[in-house]
Amino acid sequence: LWARVASDLVISIDMAVAAEFYGGLTDDGMTKRNAAFAAQFPHVHGIVGNSHHLPTERAMCNLLDGRPIDLLFIDGDHTREGVQADYEMYGKYVRPGGVIAFHDVICDPSRSAPLEIDVRSFFDTLPGPRFVFHAGSYWGGIGAVIAA
């Protein structure tokens, strides 16, 4: 979706641990996927790495080349600590008035607690107006805030 609607730069950060737990891609699979996206959408750049590691942040900064982020979509480590770490590490790059969005802010606690999914508890601490979009289901949803 972002590759089609964004006209300038799209950066994706993914790590292979998702393959082990959620049927995602391996490092090799991600590298191939990123190359396929880049062939079709030259403005899309994929970084394979852990979003909590400084080399990953540096790789993103190199691609940004001083430009601010318009939309930051956080959909990685779904623990409260992981979401907070991504917000603190990458939120500072979002331009004032830009959007910081979070995946899975709506989760049935009986299903999310065993998986340590706790995006909402961090999302609810953020200052300013918060917006939540969902289809009325017990899982998923996107929460968004406007960066100061």
Side-chain angles (χ1 to χ4, degrees):
L1 173 65
W2 308 131
R4 293 199 185 276
V5 299
S7 60
D8 189 16
L9 176 65
V10 175
I11 301 171
S12 171
I13 298 172
D14 289 303
M15 61 186 267
V17 73
E20 185 178 330
F21 295 108
Y22 304 108
L25 300 172
T26 62
D27 278 351
D28 185 51
M30 285 185 208
T31 300
K32 288 177 183 174
R33 179 210 53 198
N34 291 347
F37 267 111
Q40 187 174 2
F41 305 102
H43 62 291
V44 174
H45 300 270
I47 299 170
V48 178
N50 185 327
S51 62
H52 301 160
H53 293 167
L54 288 175
T56 305
E57 180 186 17
R58 279 190 224 109
M60 183 207 66
C61 288
N62 287 339
L63 289 168
L64 287 173
D65 195 28
R67 293 176 287 187
I69 296 172
D70 292 319
L71 169 66
L72 173 64
F73 187 71
I74 297 175
D75 183 21
D77 180 341
H78 281 43
T79 64
R80 187 185 197 291
E81 296 78 15
V83 172
Q84 183 171 350
D86 282 340
Y87 175 83
E88 290 173 354
M89 186 170 263
Y90 298 97
K92 61 190 171 198
Y93 298 105
V94 178
R95 69 169 172 78
V99 175
I100 302 173
F102 300 82
H103 192 235
D104 292 331
V105 295
I106 305 294
C107 291
D108 175 345
S110 68
R111 294 174 185 248
S112 61
L115 300 172
E116 298 184 35
I117 294 174
D118 198 10
V119 177
R120 185 62 181 254
S121 73
F122 176 72
F123 177 73
D124 285 343
T125 68
L126 296 174
R130 292 180 301 279
F131 307 92
V132 176
F133 310 91
H134 65 93
S137 68
Y138 63 88
W139 194 275
I142 296 172
V145 296
I146 305 302

